[in-house]
Amino acid sequence: MAFTENPSIGVFVENRFGLKELNNGALAFVLPLKKNGAIGMGLYTFNQSVLFSRQKLGFAYALKLSKNFSSGIQLNVFRSFTSEYGSYFSICGELGLYFKINERTCLGVHVFNPTSGHYNKFTDERIPTAMQIGLAYQISENVLLVGEVENSSVFNFVYKGGLEYKVNEKLRLQTGVKSDPFITSYGLSFSGHKIEINISLQYHQVLDISSGISVDYYFDE
Amino acid sequence: MLIFTSIHKATSFQLKIAVFVLFGCFYHNSYGQINPYEHIEKIIEKLLENSDNEFDYSEIQDKLISIYEQPFDLNSVEFDHLQELIFLNHQQIQSILDYRKKYRGFASIYELKSIAELNQETIEFLKPFMMVGNVPYKNMKYNLSDRKYSRNEVILKTKTVAEKQLGYRDKSDPDTAKSYYLGNSFSYYVRFNQSIRSKYSLGLTLEKDAGEEFFRGTQKKGFDYYSAHFFIKNIGPFTSIAIGDYSVNLGQGLAFYSGFGFGKSPLVTDIYKSSRRLSPYKSVNESNFLRGIAVQCRFGKIEMTAFYSNKLIDGTILNPDSFSYNNPMITSFYKSGYHRTKDEMEKRKSNREQIAGAHLIFHFNNLKLGLTTITGLFSNEFQPQIRPYQLYDFSGSKFNNLAFNYSFAYKSFYFFGEHAFDGNAFAHLSGTLIRLGEIQTGILYRNYSPAYTALYSNSFRESADISNEKGLYFSLSFSPISNCKLDFYVDRFHFPWLDYQKDAPTHGHEYLLDMHYTPNHRIMHNIRVKSQSGEKNLSGNESPMNILHVENKLSIRYDLRNDLRGPFSLRSRIEYAGQSNGPAKASKGFLTFQDISYSFVNWKLKLTFRYAVFHTDNYFSRIYAYENDIPLAFSINSFYGRGMRYYLVFNYQINSKSSLWIKIARTKYADRELIGSGLNEINGDHKTDVKLLLRIVF
């Protein structure tokens, strides 16, 4: 986000495993502040059933700290609804940093919910804390290899690996694998003059297919 | 001054001077050189990152700090001085001296680069401890009033745990009446030291641990621990004299070694012990030092060290309620130094220990022979509990050790060893360091009888003491390609008698493979694989007989460091640990962390921040991680269960004389509501440590 030059807006929708209750959606907006970094706002919704739903409203700020190093923070407000307790609010943070090690290699680190809060005071359910460390390596002009690990206070340790192939300036193809649960995924990105479209398909061994699409639009300055 | 010095040297040095001037400028402008502690922390971390026990490392740090602030002159430094730089091995020291002899001195410290034995990392470690001056070290005249040479240091330190621990509960509560901490939850530490290089040192150290009383009740004298020393070199017929508290390290440590010694470390070929034989003691480890007088002198090829120590030590008393005050029986040593409860107070200074020792060294060209004799006497007799594995624990009130050690250099071989006898059983150690071109190898064999006892020994070992162990160690260190360094060791060991949680003689092995890749001087990738295998009682076994099973441990670490050009430096780590023991369920764990440090150059402020997440199945798959800390407080913490750890170290250089450090660290668990055990238990899911240190040098 710190490297964004123009304001942009994006929407994302996803369906998990073909169940209409498991629709996720997001709407996000990024505004660069010239030399003072960039601010962003996003609204995310998860699970739209009558029994349970959750929304997240995030406010983000990103700053380029040196030529090849940037970091960002985000504050999230969750609204969770369960048929048992009604709706309640909780707050958590997110931290990220991005470092370009050299021309070909980048490091990314992301921490979700660093202070480990609870969703509410009724249940013992904690908002999971998760730390991701990823490396991206540009093998050749057209091929990018990425690897990531995710260590969480709640879930099992996860490895992810992915490959992106740039067909031409406008079209990129992606494929990836993830452990625990084992998921393979495929994606396609189209970059236009002001618009970027990403389409993804994830295949879970047991629960079958999830699909998603996102559209980002970049405004003129 | 440097240029003047070198004018009457050979002209070939002129180029080197130019190089020095050029690099010297860069060096002093670089970021992150706020204080010597930062540099020393890097070195100690390198030595310790493999360590999985807590030890007071401040002793090493102290020695290095005083050298850093008053560096050695490369053109006059002697073998013994270089030995104090613990990261240098014997061959490296010799190579520096050989180079100096061959080229008639150094014109700049950058000439170190042309010594094959020193790799890039070692040179980086070494540089700040060295300077090139024009007055030979020996001829330097010191005057206490001359501020240039004398250094006065005052350190004030305190630390506490922010959450209330069980031991500090309300004392009127009937539940607590039995056991509680007598004092408050803060520790206080005060130290004063005056020194002139390593030639003269006068110091006083005072400490109260958290939970100990202060100026009342059981501690009417205030602090729980007082230590003072006076140390001087080259006076009259003596090469050194120590009065008060001091430490003594002799030979390879089989008979006597009261200082800190590394065993297996990622410096895989550092297996030869070459510490300074006699040094002043400034640390706060309350059991591992000597109190009395020690002298060292040299007559031609013979060097002699003699010492006498007399101090009260802690010990657990057998049946304290019914003991006769004249001669209580002691069941075991009590070495933690904590005197926080009534029980712990009973152990305090319950026994008088007297030790006398002498050490002779004969120097013949490449050969050095040493002879050690130690005798010790306790006022109260030891009568250990008789469990089978403790059969050979120390008992009685006397001990004697006699040892012979040698070292011999031949071409690129270096042989060393020690053979020790305690009047009853033997301990042997012999090793070789070999340098074959770019490859360095080390081989070490040890055989310590189960019955061998040496109470102040510290040598190469796998088990806790120098006894009950046989083993062969082999290590290899080389650079397969430039920018890449490979270190490897394998160690096989056998314990011929029982040990803690080992109800039969056992075998085991361990190996370590450590790879460093430094594509440029700002980035370092490190992959480390360590595997351990040893027999152990099966945990959770309910039959009356314990069954031994092979326990395997494997840990794999990836570490990436970026010292960015500029104020930032970053470090990321991913570590896996796996453990299995016979039919018991295998366990695994993961740790990830990210460090960011930032130096505000104009404000002379440095902040270091870490965020870590750990997730392990249980205690068996725990993961150790070294942490940045305030000076004189090194921490290696182990993490198990699920949770996170974060800390901030704040270092501010107030002015040219004083610096301030603050560390705030918190561990927060996602899987428990009670932390710790016994009197340290905390009712909550987080534990916060707060430490503060002020150092003034004038």
Side-chain angles (χ1 to χ4, degrees), chain B residues 233-251:
Chain B
K233 270 187 161 177
N234 299 333
I235 183 160
F238 301 108
T239 45
S240 318
I241 296 180
I243 300 171
D245 294 350
Y246 57 90
S247 89
V248 169
N249 303 316
L250 305 175

PDB file of all heavy atoms in Angstrom, chain B residues 233-251:
ATOM      1  N   LYS B 233      48.471  -6.193  37.888  1.00  0.00           N
ATOM      2  CA  LYS B 233      49.423  -6.988  37.107  1.00  0.00           C
ATOM      3  C   LYS B 233      50.811  -6.382  37.180  1.00  0.00           C
ATOM      4  O   LYS B 233      50.944  -5.168  37.357  1.00  0.00           O
ATOM      5  CB  LYS B 233      48.984  -6.988  35.642  1.00  0.00           C
ATOM      6  CG  LYS B 233      48.048  -8.124  35.291  1.00  0.00           C
ATOM      7  CD  LYS B 233      47.822  -8.139  33.797  1.00  0.00           C
ATOM      8  CE  LYS B 233      47.310  -9.476  33.349  1.00  0.00           C
ATOM      9  NZ  LYS B 233      47.028  -9.462  31.926  1.00  0.00           N
ATOM     10  N   ASN B 234      51.817  -7.211  36.989  1.00  0.00           N
ATOM     11  CA  ASN B 234      53.215  -6.786  36.908  1.00  0.00           C
ATOM     12  C   ASN B 234      53.634  -5.908  38.079  1.00  0.00           C
ATOM     13  O   ASN B 234      53.927  -4.730  37.919  1.00  0.00           O
ATOM     14  CB  ASN B 234      53.460  -6.030  35.591  1.00  0.00           C
ATOM     15  CG  ASN B 234      53.178  -6.922  34.410  1.00  0.00           C
ATOM     16  OD1 ASN B 234      53.283  -8.150  34.504  1.00  0.00           O
ATOM     17  ND2 ASN B 234      52.806  -6.326  33.308  1.00  0.00           N
ATOM     18  N   ILE B 235      53.613  -6.488  39.220  1.00  0.00           N
ATOM     19  CA  ILE B 235      54.044  -5.739  40.392  1.00  0.00           C
ATOM     20  C   ILE B 235      55.039  -6.596  41.167  1.00  0.00           C
ATOM     21  O   ILE B 235      54.766  -7.761  41.447  1.00  0.00           O
ATOM     22  CB  ILE B 235      52.839  -5.288  41.250  1.00  0.00           C
ATOM     23  CG1 ILE B 235      53.297  -4.452  42.431  1.00  0.00           C
ATOM     24  CG2 ILE B 235      51.977  -6.449  41.710  1.00  0.00           C
ATOM     25  CD1 ILE B 235      52.186  -3.599  42.995  1.00  0.00           C
ATOM     26  N   GLY B 236      56.196  -6.034  41.445  1.00  0.00           N
ATOM     27  CA  GLY B 236      57.253  -6.790  42.119  1.00  0.00           C
ATOM     28  C   GLY B 236      57.560  -8.050  41.339  1.00  0.00           C
ATOM     29  O   GLY B 236      57.623  -8.033  40.111  1.00  0.00           O
ATOM     30  N   PRO B 237      57.719  -9.158  42.018  1.00  0.00           N
ATOM     31  CA  PRO B 237      58.045 -10.403  41.321  1.00  0.00           C
ATOM     32  C   PRO B 237      56.813 -11.063  40.689  1.00  0.00           C
ATOM     33  O   PRO B 237      56.927 -12.058  39.982  1.00  0.00           O
ATOM     34  CB  PRO B 237      58.598 -11.287  42.442  1.00  0.00           C
ATOM     35  CG  PRO B 237      57.925 -10.777  43.673  1.00  0.00           C
ATOM     36  CD  PRO B 237      57.661  -9.331  43.483  1.00  0.00           C
ATOM     37  N   PHE B 238      55.633 -10.508  40.927  1.00  0.00           N
ATOM     38  CA  PHE B 238      54.410 -11.179  40.482  1.00  0.00           C
ATOM     39  C   PHE B 238      53.912 -10.651  39.125  1.00  0.00           C
ATOM     40  O   PHE B 238      53.953  -9.454  38.880  1.00  0.00           O
ATOM     41  CB  PHE B 238      53.298 -10.984  41.513  1.00  0.00           C
ATOM     42  CG  PHE B 238      53.649 -11.518  42.858  1.00  0.00           C
ATOM     43  CD1 PHE B 238      53.937 -10.665  43.915  1.00  0.00           C
ATOM     44  CD2 PHE B 238      53.733 -12.893  43.073  1.00  0.00           C
ATOM     45  CE1 PHE B 238      54.290 -11.166  45.157  1.00  0.00           C
ATOM     46  CE2 PHE B 238      54.074 -13.394  44.311  1.00  0.00           C
ATOM     47  CZ  PHE B 238      54.352 -12.523  45.362  1.00  0.00           C
ATOM     48  N   THR B 239      53.423 -11.562  38.305  1.00  0.00           N
ATOM     49  CA  THR B 239      52.793 -11.109  37.062  1.00  0.00           C
ATOM     50  C   THR B 239      51.355 -10.671  37.339  1.00  0.00           C
ATOM     51  O   THR B 239      50.848  -9.808  36.652  1.00  0.00           O
ATOM     52  CB  THR B 239      52.821 -12.192  35.972  1.00  0.00           C
ATOM     53  OG1 THR B 239      52.427 -13.426  36.561  1.00  0.00           O
ATOM     54  CG2 THR B 239      54.198 -12.360  35.383  1.00  0.00           C
ATOM     55  N   SER B 240      50.694 -11.275  38.345  1.00  0.00           N
ATOM     56  CA  SER B 240      49.362 -10.820  38.754  1.00  0.00           C
ATOM     57  C   SER B 240      49.137 -11.122  40.227  1.00  0.00           C
ATOM     58  O   SER B 240      49.627 -12.133  40.739  1.00  0.00           O
ATOM     59  CB  SER B 240      48.232 -11.529  38.004  1.00  0.00           C
ATOM     60  OG  SER B 240      48.490 -11.691  36.670  1.00  0.00           O
ATOM     61  N   ILE B 241      48.347 -10.264  40.839  1.00  0.00           N
ATOM     62  CA  ILE B 241      47.894 -10.529  42.210  1.00  0.00           C
ATOM     63  C   ILE B 241      46.404 -10.239  42.254  1.00  0.00           C
ATOM     64  O   ILE B 241      45.952  -9.220  41.721  1.00  0.00           O
ATOM     65  CB  ILE B 241      48.591  -9.617  43.239  1.00  0.00           C
ATOM     66  CG1 ILE B 241      50.090  -9.910  43.267  1.00  0.00           C
ATOM     67  CG2 ILE B 241      47.992  -9.805  44.640  1.00  0.00           C
ATOM     68  CD1 ILE B 241      50.834  -9.051  44.266  1.00  0.00           C
ATOM     69  N   ALA B 242      45.633 -11.135  42.879  1.00  0.00           N
ATOM     70  CA  ALA B 242      44.201 -10.891  43.057  1.00  0.00           C
ATOM     71  C   ALA B 242      43.886 -11.017  44.535  1.00  0.00           C
ATOM     72  O   ALA B 242      44.288 -11.983  45.183  1.00  0.00           O
ATOM     73  CB  ALA B 242      43.382 -11.883  42.260  1.00  0.00           C
ATOM     74  N   ILE B 243      43.171 -10.035  45.052  1.00  0.00           N
ATOM     75  CA  ILE B 243      42.723 -10.092  46.444  1.00  0.00           C
ATOM     76  C   ILE B 243      41.220  -9.881  46.445  1.00  0.00           C
ATOM     77  O   ILE B 243      40.715  -9.024  45.712  1.00  0.00           O
ATOM     78  CB  ILE B 243      43.423  -9.001  47.299  1.00  0.00           C
ATOM     79  CG1 ILE B 243      44.946  -9.226  47.268  1.00  0.00           C
ATOM     80  CG2 ILE B 243      42.918  -9.013  48.744  1.00  0.00           C
ATOM     81  CD1 ILE B 243      45.747  -8.102  47.877  1.00  0.00           C
ATOM     82  N   GLY B 244      40.515 -10.641  47.240  1.00  0.00           N
ATOM     83  CA  GLY B 244      39.055 -10.546  47.241  1.00  0.00           C
ATOM     84  C   GLY B 244      38.473 -11.631  46.351  1.00  0.00           C
ATOM     85  O   GLY B 244      38.900 -12.782  46.442  1.00  0.00           O
ATOM     86  N   ASP B 245      37.544 -11.236  45.501  1.00  0.00           N
ATOM     87  CA  ASP B 245      36.896 -12.235  44.657  1.00  0.00           C
ATOM     88  C   ASP B 245      37.593 -12.324  43.301  1.00  0.00           C
ATOM     89  O   ASP B 245      37.871 -11.316  42.673  1.00  0.00           O
ATOM     90  CB  ASP B 245      35.418 -11.884  44.470  1.00  0.00           C
ATOM     91  CG  ASP B 245      34.654 -11.986  45.787  1.00  0.00           C
ATOM     92  OD1 ASP B 245      35.241 -12.502  46.760  1.00  0.00           O
ATOM     93  OD2 ASP B 245      33.501 -11.559  45.834  1.00  0.00           O
ATOM     94  N   TYR B 246      37.841 -13.541  42.894  1.00  0.00           N
ATOM     95  CA  TYR B 246      38.544 -13.754  41.621  1.00  0.00           C
ATOM     96  C   TYR B 246      38.082 -15.065  41.023  1.00  0.00           C
ATOM     97  O   TYR B 246      37.368 -15.844  41.659  1.00  0.00           O
ATOM     98  CB  TYR B 246      40.066 -13.751  41.835  1.00  0.00           C
ATOM     99  CG  TYR B 246      40.555 -14.782  42.832  1.00  0.00           C
ATOM    100  CD1 TYR B 246      40.907 -16.065  42.410  1.00  0.00           C
ATOM    101  CD2 TYR B 246      40.647 -14.482  44.191  1.00  0.00           C
ATOM    102  CE1 TYR B 246      41.323 -17.017  43.327  1.00  0.00           C
ATOM    103  CE2 TYR B 246      41.069 -15.428  45.108  1.00  0.00           C
ATOM    104  CZ  TYR B 246      41.406 -16.691  44.662  1.00  0.00           C
ATOM    105  OH  TYR B 246      41.822 -17.642  45.560  1.00  0.00           O
ATOM    106  N   SER B 247      38.469 -15.293  39.771  1.00  0.00           N
ATOM    107  CA  SER B 247      38.161 -16.600  39.187  1.00  0.00           C
ATOM    108  C   SER B 247      39.422 -17.190  38.591  1.00  0.00           C
ATOM    109  O   SER B 247      40.320 -16.477  38.161  1.00  0.00           O
ATOM    110  CB  SER B 247      37.006 -16.482  38.189  1.00  0.00           C
ATOM    111  OG  SER B 247      37.468 -16.189  36.921  1.00  0.00           O
ATOM    112  N   VAL B 248      39.487 -18.509  38.605  1.00  0.00           N
ATOM    113  CA  VAL B 248      40.678 -19.231  38.187  1.00  0.00           C
ATOM    114  C   VAL B 248      40.288 -20.310  37.184  1.00  0.00           C
ATOM    115  O   VAL B 248      39.347 -21.064  37.418  1.00  0.00           O
ATOM    116  CB  VAL B 248      41.368 -19.883  39.418  1.00  0.00           C
ATOM    117  CG1 VAL B 248      42.444 -20.861  38.982  1.00  0.00           C
ATOM    118  CG2 VAL B 248      41.960 -18.835  40.338  1.00  0.00           C
ATOM    119  N   ASN B 249      40.999 -20.341  36.067  1.00  0.00           N
ATOM    120  CA  ASN B 249      40.748 -21.354  35.044  1.00  0.00           C
ATOM    121  C   ASN B 249      42.055 -22.052  34.708  1.00  0.00           C
ATOM    122  O   ASN B 249      42.997 -21.404  34.263  1.00  0.00           O
ATOM    123  CB  ASN B 249      40.214 -20.695  33.769  1.00  0.00           C
ATOM    124  CG  ASN B 249      38.964 -19.897  34.050  1.00  0.00           C
ATOM    125  OD1 ASN B 249      38.079 -20.351  34.763  1.00  0.00           O
ATOM    126  ND2 ASN B 249      38.901 -18.697  33.507  1.00  0.00           N
ATOM    127  N   LEU B 250      42.097 -23.335  34.938  1.00  0.00           N
ATOM    128  CA  LEU B 250      43.352 -24.053  34.756  1.00  0.00           C
ATOM    129  C   LEU B 250      43.225 -25.165  33.731  1.00  0.00           C
ATOM    130  O   LEU B 250      42.256 -25.925  33.741  1.00  0.00           O
ATOM    131  CB  LEU B 250      43.823 -24.641  36.091  1.00  0.00           C
ATOM    132  CG  LEU B 250      43.955 -23.635  37.247  1.00  0.00           C
ATOM    133  CD1 LEU B 250      44.304 -24.353  38.537  1.00  0.00           C
ATOM    134  CD2 LEU B 250      44.980 -22.571  36.930  1.00  0.00           C
ATOM    135  N   GLY B 251      44.244 -25.257  32.884  1.00  0.00           N
ATOM    136  CA  GLY B 251      44.316 -26.341  31.900  1.00  0.00           C
ATOM    137  C   GLY B 251      43.065 -26.420  31.060  1.00  0.00           C
ATOM    138  O   GLY B 251      42.511 -25.404  30.640  1.00  0.00           O
TER     139      GLY B 251
END
